[in-house]
Amino acid sequence: MDYFAYANGTLNAEDVPLTAIADAVGTPVYVYSRATLERHAQVFRQALSALPNVHIAFAVKSNPNLAVLRVLAKQGYGADVVSEGEMNRALAAGIKPQDIVFSGVGKTRTEMIAAVRAGIGQFNLESEEEGIELAEIAQALRKPAPCALRVNPDVDARTHAKISTGKAENKFGVAYDSAAAIYARLSALPGLDVRGLAVHIGSQITDLEPSREAFVKMGALMELLRGQGHIVTHMDLGGGLGVPYKAGDALPTPEDYGRMVADVAKDWDVTLMFEPGRVISGNSGVLVTEVVRVKRGSGHPWVIVDAAMNDLARPAMYDAWHDFAAVRPTGETFVANIAGPICESSDTFAREREIDVVQRGDLAVFRTAGAYGATMANTYNSRALVPEVMADGDKWALVASRIDPATILEIEQVPDWLG
Ligand code: LLP
């Protein structure tokens, strides 16, 4: 459920007509709804309310916009970060250091120093090597680093291969069978406060069985570790819950997910940690675009829009579906392809899809673009970096400015020796 709905024939973000935002800011532009973000944050928390000790860290990678993080900070959310840049955004948004979890296989020495100094709540270690390095840093800084060991449970999340992370062949975490020995060795290192386990098997998960299987395996590992005398007080179950991208798609809900977790983890006696991204931010945003022209094709017509794969990479990267809708629909539909202006065929948003009839100059949206949208944007083909807007009731504000190609050109220079 979201707060993008039609009123008087025009699609609104909360109470703001998208036409007004497009007139003022231009297109393409991402528009977020504060009420939708808040609703998703509350629904997800509520879905876990049967569990006693829960810590929710929003996956900043899904939407790192400062205003978005501020909304979630006010909802009491912590942050799951994967770089110093994300950590600094979370801190700037008012998220407390102790509510920040740092994941990722490639944390650099500089990043680990910054995170230890900042006093973050937990490092999710993805290898023994990383743990040894962090122990040295923490000892030198005389600040013990709270850690969880991320384990690769070798479970297929049954999602797109490029966003699947929990199979043995993936780069993430330590192998399930070596995890207990690594946990023991890392626990013995001065500098580390090894307190738990972490798992994350993938993203846009649409079937709860693989997650259940992974969580059951993590429970067994926790028992084994405790049996060997180790302390396990925290279990981070990651993120990954999918969202419906197509109107009418039936997916497991946060309630279904919460029930499954409660069933598996009821006797664990740990602080359960979660890292939801898409389920919070996905439906909270749309990408508004203008139709440049409609061109005849050998088959169906091509709707050429002013947004491209540099603004919304998901269709090109993962063959992802984003619903497309006119901002002022006429009620008529036609079958068309939708593409952006970039000079490669992967810059295609949809093929042979039944959509609202649109023509040159019309506004339209790609829905469910609040997660992995603006954050994955780039300037390929010397296009602008797309701006972001947040709506709140009948108010709206620019929350990230468009960066023009001219500004990007300013940071480049020709060395003297090129003449
Ligand atoms: N925790 C960890 C350790 C992760 O790697 C991720 C996502 C999350 C949490 C959040 O997952 P979520 O709840 O959002 O599914 N760019 C891709 C998605 C990449 C996901 C990367 N990791 C896409 O557009 O589909």
Side-chain angles (χ1 to χ4, degrees):
M1 168 144 197
D2 63 49
Y3 294 92
F4 295 96
Y6 289 92
N8 306 319
T10 303
L11 187 59
N12 282 10
E14 304 198 10
D15 300 325
V16 184
L18 290 175
T19 44
I21 295 173
D23 281 349
V25 180
T27 54
V29 56
Y30 279 92
V31 179
Y32 308 131
S33 150
R34 173 184 178 170
T36 311
L37 282 164
E38 288 176 345
R39 185 187 143 81
H40 291 338
Q42 287 158 11
V43 165
F44 192 79
R45 185 184 293 289
Q46 182 60 30
L48 299 168
S49 57
L51 293 154
N53 298 308
V54 167
H55 178 270
I56 310 176
F58 174 63
V60 171
K61 64 177 83 64
S62 74
N63 190 325
N65 181 278
L66 197 56
V68 168
L69 297 183
R70 182 84 193 125
V71 169
L72 296 171
K74 286 178 130 176
Q75 292 295 311
Y77 270 50
D80 161 47
V81 305
V82 293
S83 67
E84 187 179 353
E86 285 192 354
M87 178 183 81
N88 288 337
R89 280 173 174 274
L91 292 170
I95 293 173
K96 293 194 205 66
Q98 62 267 31
D99 291 335
I100 297 179
V101 178
F102 200 146
S103 307
V105 295
K107 303 176 196 81
T108 64
R109 194 178 157 72
T110 314
E111 288 180 317
M112 290 194 279
I113 291 171
V116 171
R117 286 215 169 107
I120 66 158
Q122 182 168 299
F123 289 85
N124 284 353
L125 301 175
E126 304 240 8
S127 63
E128 183 167 7
E129 295 82 352
E130 179 194 336
I132 294 168
E133 249 188 87
L134 179 62
E136 286 165 13
I137 291 167
Q139 246 193 313
L141 295 176
R142 294 176 206 287
K143 266 184 118 174
C147 299
L149 182 63
R150 178 163 174 189
V151 177
N152 185 323
D154 195 19
V155 169
D156 184 350
R158 294 180 216 154
T159 181
H160 193 285
K162 287 186 186 164
I163 53 175
S164 190
T165 53
K167 293 266 289 159
E169 68 259 29
N170 298 134
K171 66 180 175 179
F172 300 98
V174 301
Y176 187 80
D177 292 338
S178 352
I182 295 176
Y183 196 94
R185 289 198 291 273
L186 291 177
S187 298
L189 294 182
L192 298 189
D193 166 20
V194 180
R195 64 183 199 177
L197 296 167
V199 67
H200 171 80
I201 62 168
S203 193
Q204 186 53 16
I205 294 173
T206 56
D207 169 356
L208 292 179
E209 263 327 293
S211 300
R212 175 194 291 275
E213 192 189 327
F215 299 167
V216 166
K217 286 183 92 167
M218 296 303 288
L221 180 59
M222 180 190 72
E223 286 306 315
L224 174 76
L225 285 166
R226 284 179 172 166
Q228 294 172 350
H230 295 293
I231 291 165
V232 183
T233 56
H234 290 71
M235 182 70 92
D236 184 337
L237 297 180
L241 187 57
V243 300
Y245 278 98
K246 264 185 216 178
D249 269 0
L251 260 75
T253 62
E255 291 73 23
D256 298 331
Y257 176 81
R259 261 193 301 276
M260 179 275 283
V261 173
D263 181 44
V264 176
K266 56 184 176 304
D267 299 324
W268 283 3
D269 190 23
V270 290
T271 297
L272 277 180
M273 302 170 70
F274 298 88
E275 303 170 353
R278 190 186 320 256
V279 73
I280 307 296
S281 55
N283 284 331
S284 304
V286 297
L287 173 60
V288 184
T289 186
E290 185 178 306
V291 176
V292 176
R293 64 180 59 85
V294 180
K295 93 172 217 177
R296 279 188 303 276
S298 60
H300 296 288
W302 287 91
V303 173
I304 311 292
V305 294
D306 69 355
M309 64 188 281
N310 72 302
D311 305 302
L312 176 63
R314 303 194 66 260
M317 278 188 80
Y318 319 111
D319 303 310
W321 177 292
H322 285 266
D323 274 347
F324 178 87
V327 168
R328 293 176 64 83
T330 59
E332 306 278 299
T333 63
F334 69 157
V335 176
N337 306 307
I338 309 168
I342 282 183
C343 296
E344 57 176 284
S345 296
S346 54
D347 188 23
T348 301
F349 291 108
R351 289 178 192 281
E352 299 187 13
R353 208 191 275 184
E354 182 168 359
I355 56 170
D356 294 330
V357 167
V358 284
Q359 31 187 323
R360 177 163 61 114
D362 286 351
L363 292 173
V365 293
F366 291 104
R367 287 184 178 267
T368 319
Y372 307 107
T375 185
M376 290 176 69
N378 58 66
T379 61
Y380 185 38
N381 275 207
S382 289
R383 290 168 50 84
L385 201 58
V386 63
E388 298 163 86
V389 158
M390 183 178 286
D392 177 9
D394 58 6
K395 295 194 293 284
W396 67 270
L398 191 64
V399 293
S401 305
R402 186 186 311 280
I403 303 181
D404 291 323
T407 307
I408 297 166
L409 193 56
E410 278 170 21
I411 63 163
E412 297 180 22
Q413 46 266 311
V414 177
D416 291 346
W417 42 263
L418 276 180

